[in-house]
Amino acid sequence: MSNGRTSIVRLEHQNLVNLADYGVRQPRACNTVDFQDHLLLSGLDKVRNDHGLLIWDFGQSYTDSGPIAQFGNSESISSAIWFAEKQVMAGMSLKFIKAFDTREPKGLVFSINTKAVQGLCFDHFNQHQFASFADDSLIRIWDDRKPIDPILVINSEFKFGIGGINWCPNQPGLLGSHGKDSTSFKTWTIKQRFAQDAGLEPNLELLECIVQEFIQVRISDVHIVDFQWVPEKGITSDPCFVSLNKDSKLTETRLHSSPVNAIGPNGDMLFCTSETVLYMSPVEATDEFEIESRLGSQFKIQNLEYELDISQTMHHRAKSGYLVDPLLNMTLLKEANADESLIKCWELVQKMGHQRSTGIQGHVENMRNDMSSVPKVKTMDPGVGFFLTTYHDSYREMILEWIAPFFNQDVNVDDYIAHLLVAKEYEKAAGLSFFTYGDLSKAVDCLRVTSLAGAMPTHAQQNQYSVWKELCASLRTKVSNPYLKILFGLMATMGDWMNVLLDPKLTLEEGLSVAVRFLDNEDLLLFVNKKTREMIQRGNLQGLLLTGWSLSLIDLMQSFVDRTGDVQTAVLVLSVRPRDIQHDERFVNWIINYKNLLEKWQLFHCRAKFDILWRKEEIPPQVYIRCNFCNTSIAPGSASKTKKGPLQLNKQSGSSVCTNCRKPLPKCALCLLPLGTATNQDSRFDLWFTWCQTCRHGGHAIHMFDWFRGHQKCPVAGCDCFCNHQ
């Protein structure tokens, strides 16, 4: 009340029954009240020589026997709440938030220097988290474990300030707020987390708070004065609140939150609302009875299937043995009807192997920079108004061996053309005839069985070049075969190769086959660079033919992963590469992500095999043998250069002493020969050092192995160590 008196009333049959009144010595306004069991707190305005925070106990009777505790002498109380057993928190003097223990006369727990002293409220699901606000429209989220600075500050963006805040008792972390002279109601879902793994003992320095979801609703056209959440049984995803507007009208509003979803490592997806569970599986739909046994029968369950995504494709490939063996991978991909470009990629990997190939782009750059390499030039007159010029050198022949064996001089072109005609590939045979012999008549002969033979320019038309060019340009737009497009495009542009070779319908191998044969060094390099940029931009794995094992391959794989999400293929292809590109940060991240995927899928054997294949050339010896006297390594040469095991001595040297100090080496406990002396069995493993980690006795590996077949104790007399159990 305005005079500071606090009354406890009971609602009976729509009537208020007064149970008790608690007065104060000096009348002033009461700003807040709160209950905890049989304890009542009252927060009052400031008055000289009197406390602003009073605590009463009405457990025994409703008689006013005076407060049992009082805090804040000559201080005003803006808001106050109970936050723990017999502990109270209050916003005091417009500049402090203080916590007190009512069981202690001066029980100050902590004090926070802040102007955000209004609207104190605690999260019902987090005993450490509370909120308050000030006149600056900012809501501050606090944690009583680090009561120095707020762990989160939220801008409510209410134009005239905040009217009130409160935590929802039915949904964890849900904070509601209304503004002064505002018709809007806003909620924020707050979540606490640690910035990194804090271990068993949380490190409060790493504690942070985030807003997971924000919802704004408009209640009515009348300004909201106050609101209160409606308590419901259990946790609900659709909480309800009641608001009071300036016209004294109550409005009940239910918030419908967005569905909660979860994705399993095997591709199963679950979407949940307050009434429905939608289960989606990439494989055969799970039995609904099985789902009900996991989630409960109170939900309406819909069971659907969806097409395989890239994660499921990678999962199936990994289970099938998809690793770094190109031949096996090609077989697996063909059986799975995979994309043809992926199969061709592994064919290229098989060709290049572990060689430090720079790809066609590197070959062309080397060819241009090699001043001693002068291509042989041959000019042909096909009788179509321009000349065909071909180029030959060792670099071009090497490239043609990769992409077009029929252009190699060792291949009989006539036989290959005849083979194409038998296979009814007339357009390809015509294009090859024209590009090889520079004779238009041979190309026409290849097309005689098709309707296009009559459409080829006649000799009379060839003498009228303007008409002939228009006819070829028209035919180029009407045909779809890439060889005919090149043929008509070349004649329409009077020998402009760059114009026709950049046709997107032309495959990379087909375009390169023609370019390597008919373009000079500068134009060829320009064409190859353009195609390389195009392949990288599209993420086309055929670009491996151009980039080789150069650093450009990383850019190509980045575009491929961005386009398809197939981090598996990117990792496995690059794992075959030379070691000079393995330290790229993107490749390292792909390795980590792929390993994490294998672990989530519980494909631990696949993960182990991948680690072995990827690291087999990198893992250095982990254990070395050193002399007991001078601490010098007694292995034959440095461990990084020797191909022997790290525990094996040089068998051929027969050395029984340290090569540095000449002191004798330890002796085998069974044969009494110095370690390093050859045994009767001629085996690489025989000479290895082996010893017990407890008693440090040991000997030749083969002797120790034979001894512990029938014994448990150490072979050294007087040693009672059970080496076989250590």
Side-chain angles (χ1 to χ4, degrees), residues 176-197:
S177 175
H178 73 91
K180 296 177 182 178
D181 297 332
S182 173
T183 60
S184 297
F185 179 80
K186 300 180 180 181
T187 65
W188 298 267
T189 301
I190 312 299
K191 182 179 180 181
Q192 280 193 9
R193 67 182 184 184
F194 290 90
Q196 60 187 20
D197 187 10

Side-chain angles (χ1 to χ4, degrees), residues 699-720:
H700 293 110
I702 190 64
H703 295 159
M704 294 294 103
F705 183 74
D706 291 339
W707 170 266
F708 286 111
R709 281 179 175 175
H711 302 81
Q712 300 296 326
K713 284 188 177 182
C714 179
V716 176
C719 181
D720 295 329

Side-chain angles (χ1 to χ4, degrees), residues 465-722:
Y465 286 123
S466 59
V467 177
W468 176 57
K469 287 173 60 177
E470 293 178 2
L471 177 61
C472 291
S474 174
L475 290 173
R476 181 187 181 188
T477 60
K478 294 179 180 180
V479 297
S480 59
N481 186 275
Y483 291 93
L484 294 181
K485 274 187 170 293
I486 293 179
L487 191 60
F488 289 128
L490 186 65
M491 291 186 289
T493 58
M494 302 300 290
D496 185 0
W497 285 105
M498 292 297 291
N499 191 312
V500 297
L501 289 178
L502 294 177
D503 191 319
K505 293 186 178 181
L506 207 63
T507 66
L508 179 62
E509 293 89 345
E510 292 166 345
L512 285 172
S513 300
V514 176
V516 169
R517 186 168 172 83
F518 293 101
L519 295 182
D520 60 25
N521 290 356
E522 294 298 330
D523 287 342
L524 178 59
L525 180 60
L526 180 63
F527 172 75
V528 169
N529 288 339
K530 283 185 178 180
K531 295 302 289 186
T532 302
R533 289 193 297 269
E534 178 185 329
M535 293 292 108
I536 291 177
Q537 184 178 5
R538 295 181 178 180
N540 191 333
L541 292 182
Q542 292 299 299
L544 178 62
L545 184 65
L546 298 170
T547 64
W549 295 125
S550 66
L551 294 178
S552 299
L553 179 58
I554 298 288
D555 299 327
L556 174 64
M557 286 300 177
Q558 178 68 69
S559 299
F560 172 74
V561 172
D562 293 341
R563 179 174 62 87
T564 65
D566 188 359
V567 67
Q568 180 186 49
T569 297
V571 166
L572 296 180
V573 169
L574 292 173
S575 296
V576 186
R577 80 280 175 243
R579 299 300 177 184
D580 53 356
I581 63 174
Q582 70 170 356
H583 300 296
D584 189 279
E585 183 179 356
R586 291 168 292 181
F587 176 55
V588 174
N589 289 334
W590 295 335
I591 287 278
I592 295 173
N593 290 332
Y594 183 54
K595 288 181 179 180
N596 290 338
L597 274 177
L598 293 176
E599 290 180 356
K600 288 181 180 180
W601 293 331
Q602 298 184 5
L603 300 179
F604 303 116
H605 287 87
C606 295
R607 160 71 191 268
K609 290 178 181 178
F610 173 71
D611 279 334
I612 292 171
L613 293 172
W614 181 53
R615 293 284 189 180
K616 64 181 180 180
E617 298 180 10
E618 296 184 352
I619 298 179
Q622 303 296 308
V623 182
Y624 301 94
I625 299 298
R626 296 185 180 275
C627 176
N628 288 331
F629 300 97
C630 65
N631 203 32
T632 301
S633 174
I634 56 178
S638 63
S640 62
K641 295 180 180 180
T642 181
K643 295 183 179 180
K644 304 180 185 301
L647 305 183
Q648 183 186 11
L649 292 180
N650 193 336
K651 180 170 63 176
Q652 296 179 353
S653 66
S655 175
S656 61
V657 297
C658 174
T659 56
N660 183 52
C661 66
R662 311 304 296 176
K663 295 292 181 65
L665 298 178
K667 295 182 178 180
C668 176
L670 291 170
C671 70
L672 301 181
L673 292 175
L675 295 176
T677 306
T679 62
N680 293 331
Q681 296 89 348
D682 187 14
S683 170
R684 179 176 181 269
F685 179 72
D686 296 348
L687 293 181
W688 279 31
F689 284 22
T690 181
W691 62 90
C692 173
Q693 296 295 314
T694 301
C695 66
R696 305 297 181 181
H697 296 143
H700 293 110
I702 190 64
H703 295 159
M704 294 294 103
F705 183 74
D706 291 339
W707 170 266
F708 286 111
R709 281 179 175 175
H711 302 81
Q712 300 296 326
K713 284 188 177 182
C714 179
V716 176
C719 181
D720 295 329
C721 178
F722 287 87

Side-chain angles (χ1 to χ4, degrees), residues 430 434 440 443-444 447 451-459 461-462 468 471-472 475 484 487-488 491:
F434 182 76
L440 184 62
V444 174
L447 294 174
S451 59
L452 288 171
M456 294 295 289
T458 63
H459 182 72
Q461 290 171 331
Q462 295 171 19
W468 176 57
L471 177 61
C472 291
L475 290 173
L484 294 181
L487 191 60
F488 289 128
M491 291 186 289

